[in-house]
PDB file of all heavy atoms in Angstrom:
ATOM      1  N   SER A  30     -14.879   5.210  -4.375  1.00 98.00           N
ATOM      2  CA  SER A  30     -15.628   4.471  -3.352  1.00 98.00           C
ATOM      3  C   SER A  30     -14.641   3.759  -2.428  1.00 98.00           C
ATOM      4  O   SER A  30     -13.440   3.714  -2.678  1.00 98.00           O
ATOM      5  CB  SER A  30     -16.569   3.467  -4.018  1.00 98.00           C
ATOM      6  OG  SER A  30     -15.841   2.501  -4.747  1.00 98.00           O
ATOM      7  N   LYS A  31     -15.200   3.180  -1.361  1.00 98.00           N
ATOM      8  CA  LYS A  31     -14.353   2.552  -0.348  1.00 98.00           C
ATOM      9  C   LYS A  31     -13.770   1.218  -0.834  1.00 98.00           C
ATOM     10  O   LYS A  31     -14.068   0.752  -1.922  1.00 98.00           O
ATOM     11  CB  LYS A  31     -15.167   2.367   0.942  1.00 98.00           C
ATOM     12  CG  LYS A  31     -15.497   3.687   1.651  1.00 98.00           C
ATOM     13  CD  LYS A  31     -16.160   3.447   3.004  1.00 98.00           C
ATOM     14  CE  LYS A  31     -16.468   4.768   3.719  1.00 98.00           C
ATOM     15  NZ  LYS A  31     -17.092   4.536   5.054  1.00 98.00           N
ATOM     16  N   MET A  32     -12.941   0.635   0.011  1.00 98.00           N
ATOM     17  CA  MET A  32     -12.233  -0.598  -0.353  1.00 98.00           C
ATOM     18  C   MET A  32     -13.200  -1.761  -0.579  1.00 98.00           C
ATOM     19  O   MET A  32     -13.046  -2.530  -1.516  1.00 98.00           O
ATOM     20  CB  MET A  32     -11.252  -0.951   0.780  1.00 98.00           C
ATOM     21  CG  MET A  32     -10.361  -2.141   0.508  1.00 98.00           C
ATOM     22  SD  MET A  32      -9.065  -1.800  -0.671  1.00 98.00           S
ATOM     23  CE  MET A  32      -8.976  -3.344  -1.543  1.00 98.00           C
ATOM     24  N   PHE A  33     -14.192  -1.910   0.301  1.00 98.00           N
ATOM     25  CA  PHE A  33     -15.042  -3.105   0.262  1.00 98.00           C
ATOM     26  C   PHE A  33     -16.530  -2.792   0.141  1.00 98.00           C
ATOM     27  O   PHE A  33     -17.364  -3.672   0.295  1.00 98.00           O
ATOM     28  CB  PHE A  33     -14.794  -3.969   1.506  1.00 98.00           C
ATOM     29  CG  PHE A  33     -13.374  -4.442   1.627  1.00 98.00           C
ATOM     30  CD1 PHE A  33     -12.571  -4.031   2.690  1.00 98.00           C
ATOM     31  CD2 PHE A  33     -12.823  -5.281   0.672  1.00 98.00           C
ATOM     32  CE1 PHE A  33     -11.255  -4.467   2.803  1.00 98.00           C
ATOM     33  CE2 PHE A  33     -11.513  -5.723   0.766  1.00 98.00           C
ATOM     34  CZ  PHE A  33     -10.721  -5.314   1.838  1.00 98.00           C
ATOM     35  N   CYS A  34     -16.880  -1.528  -0.046  1.00 98.00           N
ATOM     36  CA  CYS A  34     -18.286  -1.182  -0.246  1.00 98.00           C
ATOM     37  C   CYS A  34     -18.361   0.040  -1.149  1.00 98.00           C
ATOM     38  O   CYS A  34     -17.345   0.657  -1.456  1.00 98.00           O
ATOM     39  CB  CYS A  34     -18.983  -0.924   1.093  1.00 98.00           C
ATOM     40  SG  CYS A  34     -18.327   0.507   1.977  1.00 98.00           S
ATOM     41  N   SER A  35     -19.591   0.397  -1.541  1.00 98.00           N
ATOM     42  CA  SER A  35     -19.759   1.482  -2.512  1.00 98.00           C
ATOM     43  C   SER A  35     -19.915   2.854  -1.869  1.00 98.00           C
ATOM     44  O   SER A  35     -20.271   3.811  -2.554  1.00 98.00           O
ATOM     45  CB  SER A  35     -20.977   1.190  -3.387  1.00 98.00           C
ATOM     46  OG  SER A  35     -20.778  -0.018  -4.073  1.00 98.00           O
ATOM     47  N   CYS A  36     -19.658   2.982  -0.586  1.00 98.00           N
ATOM     48  CA  CYS A  36     -19.760   4.302   0.049  1.00 98.00           C
ATOM     49  C   CYS A  36     -18.698   5.242  -0.515  1.00 98.00           C
ATOM     50  O   CYS A  36     -17.627   4.810  -0.909  1.00 98.00           O
ATOM     51  CB  CYS A  36     -19.563   4.186   1.554  1.00 98.00           C
ATOM     52  SG  CYS A  36     -20.943   3.379   2.350  1.00 98.00           S
ATOM     53  N   SER A  37     -19.032   6.537  -0.504  1.00 98.00           N
ATOM     54  CA  SER A  37     -18.094   7.542  -0.989  1.00 98.00           C
ATOM     55  C   SER A  37     -16.816   7.530  -0.158  1.00 98.00           C
ATOM     56  O   SER A  37     -16.852   7.430   1.063  1.00 98.00           O
ATOM     57  CB  SER A  37     -18.741   8.919  -0.893  1.00 98.00           C
ATOM     58  OG  SER A  37     -17.747   9.914  -1.097  1.00 98.00           O
ATOM     59  N   ALA A  38     -15.678   7.646  -0.855  1.00 97.00           N
ATOM     60  CA  ALA A  38     -14.382   7.693  -0.157  1.00 97.00           C
ATOM     61  C   ALA A  38     -13.909   9.131  -0.004  1.00 97.00           C
ATOM     62  O   ALA A  38     -12.769   9.383   0.356  1.00 97.00           O
ATOM     63  CB  ALA A  38     -13.355   6.876  -0.930  1.00 97.00           C
ATOM     64  N   GLU A  39     -14.789  10.079  -0.287  1.00 94.00           N
ATOM     65  CA  GLU A  39     -14.416  11.491  -0.196  1.00 94.00           C
ATOM     66  C   GLU A  39     -14.073  11.866   1.244  1.00 94.00           C
ATOM     67  O   GLU A  39     -14.701  11.393   2.190  1.00 94.00           O
ATOM     68  CB  GLU A  39     -15.613  12.330  -0.664  1.00 94.00           C
ATOM     69  CG  GLU A  39     -15.219  13.655  -1.259  1.00 94.00           C
ATOM     70  CD  GLU A  39     -16.457  14.378  -1.774  1.00 94.00           C
ATOM     71  OE1 GLU A  39     -17.205  13.778  -2.579  1.00 94.00           O
ATOM     72  OE2 GLU A  39     -16.675  15.510  -1.342  1.00 94.00           O
ATOM     73  N   PHE A  40     -13.063  12.727   1.393  1.00 90.00           N
ATOM     74  CA  PHE A  40     -12.633  13.165   2.718  1.00 90.00           C
ATOM     75  C   PHE A  40     -13.738  14.007   3.362  1.00 90.00           C
ATOM     76  O   PHE A  40     -14.405  14.794   2.699  1.00 90.00           O
ATOM     77  CB  PHE A  40     -11.349  13.993   2.593  1.00 90.00           C
ATOM     78  CG  PHE A  40     -10.817  14.492   3.906  1.00 90.00           C
ATOM     79  CD1 PHE A  40     -10.128  13.628   4.755  1.00 90.00           C
ATOM     80  CD2 PHE A  40     -11.006  15.806   4.297  1.00 90.00           C
ATOM     81  CE1 PHE A  40      -9.645  14.074   5.973  1.00 90.00           C
ATOM     82  CE2 PHE A  40     -10.524  16.264   5.521  1.00 90.00           C
ATOM     83  CZ  PHE A  40      -9.844  15.390   6.356  1.00 90.00           C
ATOM     84  N   GLY A  41     -13.900  13.808   4.671  1.00 88.00           N
ATOM     85  CA  GLY A  41     -14.832  14.664   5.418  1.00 88.00           C
ATOM     86  C   GLY A  41     -16.270  14.210   5.278  1.00 88.00           C
ATOM     87  O   GLY A  41     -16.558  13.026   5.222  1.00 88.00           O
ATOM     88  N   GLY A  42     -17.165  15.157   5.198  1.00 93.00           N
ATOM     89  CA  GLY A  42     -18.597  14.835   5.178  1.00 93.00           C
ATOM     90  C   GLY A  42     -19.140  14.864   6.591  1.00 93.00           C
ATOM     91  O   GLY A  42     -18.398  14.648   7.552  1.00 93.00           O
ATOM     92  N   ASP A  43     -20.429  15.095   6.737  1.00 97.00           N
ATOM     93  CA  ASP A  43     -21.051  15.051   8.063  1.00 97.00           C
ATOM     94  C   ASP A  43     -20.777  13.683   8.679  1.00 97.00           C
ATOM     95  O   ASP A  43     -20.767  12.693   7.960  1.00 97.00           O
ATOM     96  CB  ASP A  43     -22.565  15.258   7.939  1.00 97.00           C
ATOM     97  CG  ASP A  43     -22.931  16.726   7.952  1.00 97.00           C
ATOM     98  OD1 ASP A  43     -21.991  17.549   8.068  1.00 97.00           O
ATOM     99  OD2 ASP A  43     -24.128  17.038   7.837  1.00 97.00           O
ATOM    100  N   PRO A  44     -20.601  13.628  10.007  1.00 98.00           N
ATOM    101  CA  PRO A  44     -20.269  12.341  10.635  1.00 98.00           C
ATOM    102  C   PRO A  44     -21.279  11.254  10.272  1.00 98.00           C
ATOM    103  O   PRO A  44     -22.483  11.506  10.229  1.00 98.00           O
ATOM    104  CB  PRO A  44     -20.339  12.641  12.131  1.00 98.00           C
ATOM    105  CG  PRO A  44     -20.132  14.107  12.252  1.00 98.00           C
ATOM    106  CD  PRO A  44     -20.677  14.713  10.989  1.00 98.00           C
ATOM    107  N   ASN A  45     -20.749  10.088   9.973  1.00 98.00           N
ATOM    108  CA  ASN A  45     -21.580   8.895   9.710  1.00 98.00           C
ATOM    109  C   ASN A  45     -22.600   9.104   8.591  1.00 98.00           C
ATOM    110  O   ASN A  45     -23.734   8.648   8.667  1.00 98.00           O
ATOM    111  CB  ASN A  45     -22.273   8.442  11.003  1.00 98.00           C
ATOM    112  CG  ASN A  45     -21.274   7.929  12.025  1.00 98.00           C
ATOM    113  OD1 ASN A  45     -20.499   7.039  11.732  1.00 98.00           O
ATOM    114  ND2 ASN A  45     -21.270   8.540  13.206  1.00 98.00           N
TER     115      ASN A  45
END
Side-chain angles (χ1 to χ4, degrees):
Chain A
S30 63
K31 291 187 179 181
M32 185 74 216
F33 300 116
C34 64
S35 300
C36 290
S37 168
E39 208 176 306
F40 180 77
D43 273 359
N45 293 305

